[in-house]
Amino acid sequence: MRKRVLITGAAGFLGSHLCERFVKDDYHVIAMDNLITGRLSNLEHLMPKENFEFYHQDVSNFIHVPGKLDYILHFASPASPIDYLKIPIQTLKVGSLGIHNCLGLARVKNARVLIASTSEVYGDPEVHPQTEEYWGNVNPIGPRGVYDEAKRFQEAITMAYHTYHGVETRIARIFNTYGPRMRLNDGRVLPAFIGQALRGEDLTVFGDGSQTRSFCYVDDLVEGLVRLLHSDYTLPVNLGNPDEITISDFAEEIIKLTGTTQKVIYQDLPVNDPKQRQPDITKAKEILDWIPKVSRGEGLKITYAYFKGLSKDELFKKEHNNFEEYIK
Ligand code: NAD
Ligand code: UDP
């Protein structure tokens, strides 16, 4: 009998890679998404597979899945600052009502839940690199608060279901991850820079570019998530690549990679933009025997090849996503 896994946010960037991995590993994959920031085209290649099915559903409303369920991976949530600033209430709902529904379903089905938490729970961190013990520095009423606090609540309710109802739970704190199937216009720095290079526009660095991030290639992340799911560790685990870089150096790397003759221009730094971010992955190393293997150089080459293959229409598309359909 195949193990059955429900993946929410399946049509998004990370969700689609997870679906691919679990289909390949011969699980029965139930993919769920309301397509608010995701795209069915991310899952097209999986649709013909007999061990894959898709439910078009908002997980913030009651969810029903017939049959047994072994695992639930809750990845539904807008994830880029542009997205969650445009749809703040939906972001708060999917991080609270959405996970509540998943945990309720897990109780009924006796399934194990893994949640996609984030380095944003650390906010603008005063501890560097960030360890899981750090409680964070988040402005609850700032523009990023809708995302950061939803994710913090998500961790709290997940721990409560574990403690009070005995639900098996796993918490992944995911740091900036990139790869094919990111949306070119979701506003995140990597697709922003590559899109600008491909369209012949200048690269927009926010602030003075001295803020840092640490970028993890998607295949490494997926491997870490699978290992965490199958581990017996119930406290949060950081998953990310500790190779830290300033955003201005990152812009230079993209200029080199793409061969663009455009230059860097500087724009205002968004409010509460974290100044530094690097995961301490000691726990992941010790508990999961996991370290990221793909260097930024290799990962960027693969990702650039993907973006280069997109149509002109896609490259110049103005709208960010499907919001208009959802916000009346
Ligand atoms: P994404 O926007 O590509 O994917 C999110 C998916 O969730 C989309 O397909 C969207 O349509 C779906 N969704 C949103 N609200 C929903 C709802 N109410 N019901 C059903 N589906 C819904 O973003 P991503 O980068 O793939 O992120 C996936 C998850 O990983 C998110 O929870 C995000 O917070 C987390 N995460 C991502 C990163 C990263 O670097 N990519 C870092 C930390 C955490
Ligand atoms: N950023 C930038 N130019 C852009 C988009 C983003 O300089 O066109 C910066 C942004 O201010 C942040 C960093 O790049 O400091 C990473 O931004 P992203 O939105 O990708 O992720 P997050 O801030 O959530 O880590």
Side-chain angles (χ1 to χ4, degrees):
M1 268 288 264
R2 274 185 178 127
K3 296 272 186 201
R4 288 164 58 88
V5 56
L6 168 67
I7 301 178
T8 75
F13 161 51
L14 294 183
S16 65
H17 284 273
L18 279 169
C19 287
E20 207 169 78
R21 169 69 185 255
F22 282 97
V23 164
K24 191 174 121 241
D25 289 353
D26 205 31
Y27 286 68
H28 184 87
V29 175
I30 298 150
M32 193 175 278
D33 205 296
N34 67 351
L35 304 179
I36 193 162
T37 64
R39 294 171 302 187
L40 270 187
S41 58
N42 286 341
L43 297 174
E44 238 161 33
H45 61 300
L46 298 176
M47 294 294 183
K49 306 270 185 196
E50 47 123 8
N51 58 333
F52 180 83
E53 55 184 313
F54 178 75
Y55 284 40
H56 185 194
Q57 196 166 325
D58 185 336
V59 294
S60 300
N61 298 328
F62 178 79
I63 50 178
H64 171 70
V65 175
K68 76 163 186 140
L69 263 187
D70 299 288
Y71 304 108
I72 300 175
L73 276 57
H74 183 49
F75 277 67
S77 171
S80 87
I82 284 199
D83 287 349
Y84 57 75
L85 289 176
K86 269 202 154 179
I87 44 174
I89 314 289
Q90 285 87 345
T91 304
L92 283 157
K93 282 170 77 174
V94 75
S96 51
L97 307 178
I99 184 61
H100 189 213
N101 288 333
C102 289
L103 289 163
L105 185 64
R107 257 186 103 190
V108 174
K109 303 282 185 184
N110 206 15
R112 181 179 295 181
V113 177
L114 181 148
I115 60 163
S117 189
T118 165
S119 50
E120 291 284 339
V121 301
Y122 302 123
D124 189 3
E126 295 143 322
V127 167
H128 193 74
Q130 292 79 57
T131 58
E132 289 86 348
E133 285 70 34
Y134 178 50
W135 292 349
N137 176 35
V138 169
N139 174 4
I141 55 163
R144 300 174 86 101
V146 294
Y147 182 69
D148 300 6
E149 293 297 358
K151 291 292 184 177
R152 288 167 69 95
F153 175 86
Q154 184 173 273
E155 288 197 8
I157 193 172
T158 298
M159 282 313 291
Y161 265 72
H162 175 68
T163 308
Y164 294 104
H165 291 311
V167 172
E168 283 205 55
T169 55
R170 306 289 182 265
I171 300 176
R173 289 194 181 146
I174 302 168
F175 284 63
N176 297 66
T177 300
Y178 70 96
R181 301 201 205 110
M182 289 186 100
R183 240 177 40 241
L184 195 56
N185 51 13
D186 79 359
R188 287 188 268 197
V189 67
L190 182 141
F193 285 171
I194 292 187
Q196 287 159 347
L198 287 172
R199 288 189 299 269
E201 299 167 1
D202 290 334
L203 275 63
T204 52
V205 167
F206 298 162
D208 63 6
S210 63
Q211 72 273 30
T212 66
R213 295 294 186 271
S214 309
F215 297 100
C216 182
Y217 187 65
V218 61
D219 289 358
D220 281 334
L221 179 79
V222 166
E223 180 60 31
L225 290 167
V226 169
R227 287 183 189 213
L228 177 60
L229 180 69
H230 297 309
S231 77
D232 56 10
Y233 193 73
T234 55
L235 296 177
V237 177
N238 287 340
L239 292 176
N241 190 325
D243 188 4
E244 187 181 0
I245 184 170
T246 66
I247 294 302
S248 51
D249 285 349
F250 189 57
E252 292 305 328
E253 278 195 3
I254 300 292
I255 287 175
K256 236 193 222 147
L257 172 77
T258 58
T260 178
T261 52
Q262 302 299 131
K263 57 181 190 314
V264 165
I265 53 170
Y266 291 87
Q267 297 186 347
D268 289 346
L269 188 68
V271 176
N272 297 148
D273 196 289
K275 282 182 273 309
Q276 51 182 0
R277 186 179 288 155
Q278 188 203 117
D280 180 319
I281 58 165
T282 311
K283 277 213 164 66
K285 274 187 202 156
E286 285 174 5
I287 297 164
L288 313 178
D289 190 23
W290 174 86
I291 48 161
K293 297 206 168 113
V294 181
S295 69
R296 199 169 52 246
E298 290 171 78
L300 283 181
K301 260 193 216 150
I302 303 167
T303 310
Y304 179 47
Y306 166 79
F307 282 125
K308 259 203 312 198
L310 295 179
S311 67
K312 276 235 149 53
D313 267 5
E314 193 79 27
L315 189 58
F316 285 92
K317 222 191 212 155
K318 279 278 180 298
E319 76 271 23
H320 286 293
N321 40 41
N322 310 321
F323 295 163
E324 282 61 33
E325 267 179 58
Y326 288 86
I327 308 168
K328 302 280 182 218

